[in-house]
Amino acid sequence: MPTLHELQSRFATAIIDGDAAVAAGLVAEDAPGAAARLGIYLNHFRVTLIDTLAAVFPVVQALVGDPFFQAAARRYVRETPPSQPCLFAYGDGFPAFLERLPEARALVYLADVARLEWAINEAWHVPDDAAVAEEDPRLVAGHALQPGFRLHPSCRLIASRFPAGRIWQVHQEACADREAIDLEAGEARLLVHRRQNEVGWIDLPPAEFDFLDHLTASGNLDEALTLACKGDGDFNPMPLLMTLIEGGLISSIGAAP
Amino acid sequence: MGTHGMTGNNRNTGIGFRAQHYATIVATRPARGFFEVHAENYMCGGPASRQLETLRNDWPIALHGVGLSLGSGHGLDAAHLSRLAVLVNRVEPILISEHLAWSVAADGSYLNDLLPLPYTEDSLAMVAANITRLQDHLRQRVLIENPSAYLRFVDSEIPEPQFLTALVERTGCGLLFDVNNAYVTCQNVGGDPRAWIDGLPIEAVKEVHLAGHCRNDADGASILIDDHGSPVAEAVWVLYEQTIRRFPHALTLIEWDSNLPALSVLLAEAAEADRRRADVISETAYADAA
């Protein structure tokens, strides 16, 4: 008799690899037979996780069509099963997987659209956080941007060589304006965020994007300003910061005055 | 819990909460005893979490875990146990339940299902140890639910009701008796659900689940699938009446997860459960008086 651990190892392999034969010897041969009975579990694993990915990446699905999406998602599920039971966190590796997928290489913007959909999914699920009030006395010049600056946890910066935001928009039901998209029309630099129950994004100019990208990654204001000023000698971070504060998107501006 | 029960008798049948029904629930405030939510859907922040906060102001909440993998031969995942404990502290549920099943492989892969166990002494020792660790961590009694099974392991040697009873004796856990699961399992792998009901310890069963199933063909033979996607079958209603005769104090819950209909359909199923429950209880009271 196999130990529980051995039995579960074989069963898990059968499920992930989609191969009932690996576990068939463990199962009583009642009619219907062991392979058909195991098939119910194998199928449930595959179908429910493909559905999970489809719910998070509907625009990717629309871009590649359902048969292609099913096949790609099936391969992803097999290569990268969920690593924990909270399925809202499943699919973080799917954009990079699509980027590596030889069959999808022609759709050069696909992985970036997937990154945007993943950012939207994450923005939905992060916990709420405090927001700095517009009348916060620390907002006088010189006090903002002390060490400890933090955007709202829903904020995600997404950069693409392609108009990824526009591609996403024309695939929404509510979109009234569906003209063809010129892929050369411009890069996208988006700050995805959630306010209350709504997820959206702000289109940022290059200097503002670089500034926030560097500031959130390093926390170093001087370096972030230097970098942003390289692209735009007149760069002033205050209008951007006021927009973010008005939107409730800054959780901390650092040390108390 | 002082604010609970404003909207009705909390003995009333509860329903499984689905986010698609949220707006209708808040607008119409159905007089249901409680709502049950899948714990894993609320181990995050944002709108889902806010909905649950609103619900729990007016209704008791039962937490139903689906991902802890109490049947894992390699023990429990400490990170997931912590997530559950945080949620329990936040929600203050009236009941906490999990399944007699496993879903996490030894390498940590989550298999997104309630997978069956071989009912052996080895499994019994492992599951009992996992339940004890869970209850110690939460400092609460947890209800263990019988799963739906589509197969039987060659090495299974303990009948499921005896296995559950042994878990109660060893860990002090309670039981959640899913009538539909018992029916589905017995149809698929053999057994008499009426004997199962009579075999479970009366004091331990605190909650009863009802749901629909469907019938699939596999290899030319039919197999029942516990898809929670249709009304409760008449055969399951009949077993429910027997269940209430034996466990009259258990709370009842209607589950519906796939092909989700309007809230009114779930409310009608819950009203039917209330009606059958009331009939059984009054008939029992009459028999006691006579």
Side-chain angles (χ1 to χ4, degrees):
Chain A
M1 188 190 292
T3 64
L4 181 59
H5 187 85
E6 288 160 355
L7 177 141
Q8 290 180 337
S9 292
R10 282 169 67 184
F11 208 98
T13 302
I15 287 180
I16 293 169
D17 292 350
D19 181 5
V22 179
L26 303 167
V27 175
E29 275 294 344
D30 306 318
R37 289 171 180 270
L38 280 162
I40 295 168
Y41 296 101
L42 273 48
N43 191 51
H44 182 268
F45 172 75
R46 205 176 58 235
V47 169
T48 55
L49 292 176
I50 292 173
D51 285 351
T52 300
L53 293 172
V56 176
F57 299 99
V59 176
V60 167
Q61 189 177 19
L63 287 169
V64 300
D66 192 47
F68 188 102
F69 186 87
Q70 291 280 326
R74 181 178 182 143
R75 201 186 302 175
Y76 179 77
V77 166
R78 182 171 170 167
E79 286 177 12
T80 319
S83 58
Q84 49 88 5
C86 297
L87 288 185
F88 56 80
Y90 183 55
D92 59 334
F94 195 55
F97 168 85
L98 291 174
E99 197 156 48
R100 291 192 305 271
L101 198 64
E103 297 87 342
R105 205 160 281 157
L107 291 175
V108 285
Y109 47 83
L110 187 66
D112 286 349
V113 174
R115 282 191 190 94
L116 174 57
E117 294 202 286
W118 183 253
I120 291 169
N121 178 62
E122 284 195 311
W124 268 109
H125 293 106
V126 295
D128 288 320
D129 198 356
V132 171
E134 290 176 50
E135 53 277 12
D136 192 298
R138 288 170 294 176
L139 288 173
V140 294
H143 276 296
L145 303 178
Q146 298 301 308
F149 172 86
R150 198 172 73 243
L151 290 174
H152 185 271
S154 69
C155 289
R156 299 285 182 279
L157 288 158
I158 300 287
S160 173
R161 292 187 290 128
F162 305 100
R166 185 71 193 131
I167 295 171
W168 187 90
Q169 279 166 343
V170 299
H171 285 90
Q172 304 309 304
E173 252 177 65
C175 180
D177 169 24
R178 286 210 174 88
E179 90 286 11
I181 293 171
D182 177 6
L183 287 181
E184 307 299 320
E187 305 162 334
R189 291 181 190 79
L190 313 174
L191 175 64
V192 175
H193 58 75
R194 185 186 79 226
R195 289 176 179 139
Q196 294 301 315
N197 289 342
E198 277 186 52
V199 173
W201 67 70
I202 303 169
D203 278 292
L204 294 175
E208 295 193 342
F209 185 93
D210 292 345
F211 171 73
L212 274 187
D213 195 25
H214 205 79
L215 186 61
T216 51
S218 73
N220 187 322
L221 172 65
D222 287 340
E223 275 181 34
L225 268 175
T226 307
L227 196 86
C229 288
K230 260 187 209 165
D232 175 359
D234 298 329
F235 178 69
N236 170 9
M238 284 320 278
L240 167 65
L241 293 169
M242 289 317 293
T243 303
L244 297 178
I245 286 168
E246 282 162 24
L249 296 178
I250 295 185
S251 290
S252 168
I253 49 171
Chain B
M1 299 277 148
T3 58
H4 288 153
M6 286 160 56
T7 41
N9 176 354
N10 69 10
R11 305 301 306 174
N12 283 355
T13 298
I15 58 177
F17 170 68
R18 309 298 300 180
Q20 294 93 320
H21 292 149
Y22 177 74
T24 314
I25 289 169
V26 170
T28 61
R29 311 182 62 76
R32 285 291 124 216
F34 64 107
F35 286 104
E36 185 161 285
V37 299
H38 286 182
E40 279 69 15
N41 292 346
Y42 296 91
M43 294 177 176
C44 61
S49 177
R50 231 171 276 142
Q51 287 184 350
L52 182 56
E53 273 306 307
T54 304
L55 281 190
R56 70 178 285 279
N57 285 332
D58 288 328
W59 287 275
I61 301 293
L63 271 187
H64 190 48
V66 296
L68 196 57
S69 198
L70 287 171
S72 275
H74 51 274
L76 298 182
D77 172 11
H80 201 61
L81 194 52
S82 298
R83 284 183 209 115
L84 182 60
V86 167
L87 186 64
V88 166
N89 283 333
R90 204 171 85 209
V91 174
E92 299 178 312
I94 51 163
L95 296 170
I96 306 168
S97 52
E98 250 290 355
H99 297 82
L100 176 58
W102 64 285
S103 54
V104 177
D107 70 355
S109 296
Y110 176 62
L111 303 170
N112 196 31
D113 205 343
L114 297 163
L115 300 169
L117 280 164
Y119 294 139
T120 62
E121 287 298 333
D122 186 20
S123 300
L124 186 57
M126 196 68 219
V127 180
N130 287 341
I131 293 173
T132 297
R133 186 171 167 210
L134 169 64
Q135 294 187 136
D136 287 352
H137 194 90
L138 299 180
R139 295 193 206 92
Q140 289 192 55
R141 189 185 202 193
V142 172
L143 310 184
I144 305 301
E145 177 178 350
N146 58 304
S148 282
Y150 307 120
L151 56 76
R152 189 167 60 82
F153 287 106
V154 177
D155 294 323
S156 258
E157 54 202 8
I158 307 171
E160 189 170 296
Q162 275 92 310
F163 196 94
L164 287 163
T165 303
L167 288 175
V168 172
E169 287 163 359
R170 290 192 192 190
T171 71
C173 70
L175 296 175
L176 190 173
F177 183 64
D178 188 311
V179 186
N180 183 58
N181 287 356
Y183 180 77
V184 165
T185 296
C186 289
Q187 289 277 309
N188 288 339
V189 304
D192 178 359
R194 292 167 301 177
W196 285 27
I197 294 167
D198 288 338
L200 294 174
I202 290 174
E203 185 279 330
V205 177
K206 301 293 184 194
E207 185 180 352
V208 171
H209 272 185
L210 290 168
H213 59 258
C214 65
R215 187 177 290 272
N216 272 17
D217 266 353
D219 276 0
S222 94
I223 200 140
L224 300 187
I225 306 288
D226 173 40
D227 68 345
H228 296 185
S230 56
V232 176
E234 181 54 31
V236 173
W237 280 126
V238 172
L239 286 173
Y240 173 65
E241 289 169 357
Q242 187 192 338
T243 302
I244 290 303
R245 263 177 222 113
R246 183 162 170 86
F247 313 111
H249 300 294
L251 298 180
T252 303
L253 181 93
I254 299 286
E255 292 181 294
W256 202 314
D257 296 310
S258 59
N259 309 318
L260 193 69
L263 179 68
S264 57
V265 177
L266 271 75
L267 295 176
E269 289 280 278
E272 176 67 10
D274 284 344
R275 189 186 67 73
R276 295 203 186 224
R277 185 171 188 281
D279 283 356
V280 166
I281 286 174
S282 63
E283 133 208 330
T284 312
Y286 179 78
D288 286 350

